[in-house]
Amino acid sequence: MNNKIVFCVILLIMISSTISLGQVVLTPKVSANHNYYYWNSNPAIEYPQKWTWGIGATARIPLSKKLYGQFSFTVYPLGLKIIDERSNVHTPDLTVTTYTDIFDIKFGVDYKLYSNTLLGVGIEMEQYFNSKDSYSLISLDDRVYVNQKYFGFELSLTQWIGKVELFADVFVGLHEGGIVSYPQLSNGELVFFSHKKLQLGVGIPIGK
């Protein structure tokens, strides 16, 4: 855990010291993220959710007077932990805790609505790795998942205030439905019926 934080701090320092080349503007950023998952394997469970934080950068290059191409990435030093309380006839007091490491990459475009306001759209890829479920019942073994990617649609709003960039991103996963990964199968897929994410953050552009 500490190694992840150290890595992300070093990464941010490296990004912050990068010299902007040409018209590319690089923005190191820190964000808070609210993740919402609706599990395909149990339609009755609709409330597992979690706040976490991320660190990353956004690069923009002007395509026209009001249009920018955008590439961004975010890593999450603490990963995600989602607690899912389930209750049925066979397991009345079952708690499933999902742990996973995650980073995401986004490609998109930003349109300048006003002089200091950008509206963006894009496609985002989330990479999950080191994912597993742990169960509160000692009779059940931990379940490990394969590393996998998920894609989604992303809408963002960016406001420049002097040298500071405030942004809000809404992500909606495109893997609606999918194939249920049954509990008895190890190394299966981490399947969501739907996944949404709200990302709020701040950055300081380099070269703007």
Side-chain angles (χ1 to χ4, degrees):
M1 190 73 70
N2 292 334
N3 290 338
K4 295 179 187 176
I5 297 176
V6 171
F7 168 77
C8 291
V9 170
I10 294 174
L11 181 64
L12 183 60
I13 293 173
M14 292 174 63
I15 293 171
S16 300
S17 63
T18 301
I19 299 174
S20 181
L21 299 177
Q23 292 182 307
V24 177
V25 176
L26 192 65
T27 305
K29 62 183 184 180
V30 177
S31 62
N33 305 271
H34 183 266
N35 295 268
Y36 174 85
Y37 295 88
Y38 176 8
W39 299 107
N40 194 24
S41 58
N42 190 344
I45 303 301
E46 300 187 21
Y47 53 81
Q49 49 194 314
K50 178 66 179 177
W51 279 97
T52 188
W53 67 279
I55 183 171
T58 296
R60 291 189 184 91
I61 182 169
L63 303 176
S64 67
K65 187 176 180 180
K66 290 195 171 184
L67 197 65
Y68 297 84
Q70 183 198 137
F71 168 77
S72 67
F73 74 93
T74 306
V75 295
Y76 302 87
L78 302 181
L80 273 175
K81 181 176 75 171
I82 305 162
I83 298 176
D84 181 1
E85 297 179 354
R86 305 180 185 180
S87 180
N88 57 50
V89 177
H90 304 290
T91 54
D93 299 309
L94 175 63
T95 298
V96 183
T97 304
T98 301
Y99 303 90
T100 186
D101 290 323
I102 176 178
F103 68 85
D104 58 52
I105 298 173
K106 174 191 153 188
F107 292 93
V109 292
D110 288 332
Y111 177 77
K112 184 181 285 188
L113 288 175
Y114 306 104
S115 59
N116 291 320
T117 305
L118 297 175
L119 179 64
V121 294
I123 295 294
E124 185 173 298
M125 181 207 79
E126 293 187 326
Q127 175 69 59
Y128 293 81
F129 57 102
N130 297 331
S131 308
K132 73 173 183 177
D133 283 344
S134 291
Y135 300 90
S136 59
L137 302 180
I138 59 175
S139 58
L140 297 175
D141 295 329
D142 288 348
R143 181 181 173 205
V144 178
Y145 296 94
V146 295
N147 298 341
Q148 59 195 297
K149 298 177 177 65
Y150 276 85
F151 292 86
F153 169 80
E154 192 262 2
L155 180 67
S156 64
L157 182 65
T158 301
Q159 179 67 45
W160 287 317
I161 302 178
K163 277 287 188 180
V164 177
E165 180 176 303
L166 304 178
F167 63 90
D169 297 344
V170 176
F171 167 90
V172 178
L174 298 177
H175 286 250
E176 304 295 328
I179 301 173
V180 176
S181 184
Y182 293 97
Q184 65 268 27
L185 298 179
S186 181
N187 297 320
E189 293 186 349
L190 187 64
V191 177
F192 315 123
F193 181 74
S194 67
H195 166 40
K196 302 174 181 67
K197 176 172 64 182
L198 171 65
Q199 185 178 56
L200 305 172
V202 60
I204 301 179
I206 300 172
K208 178 177 179 293

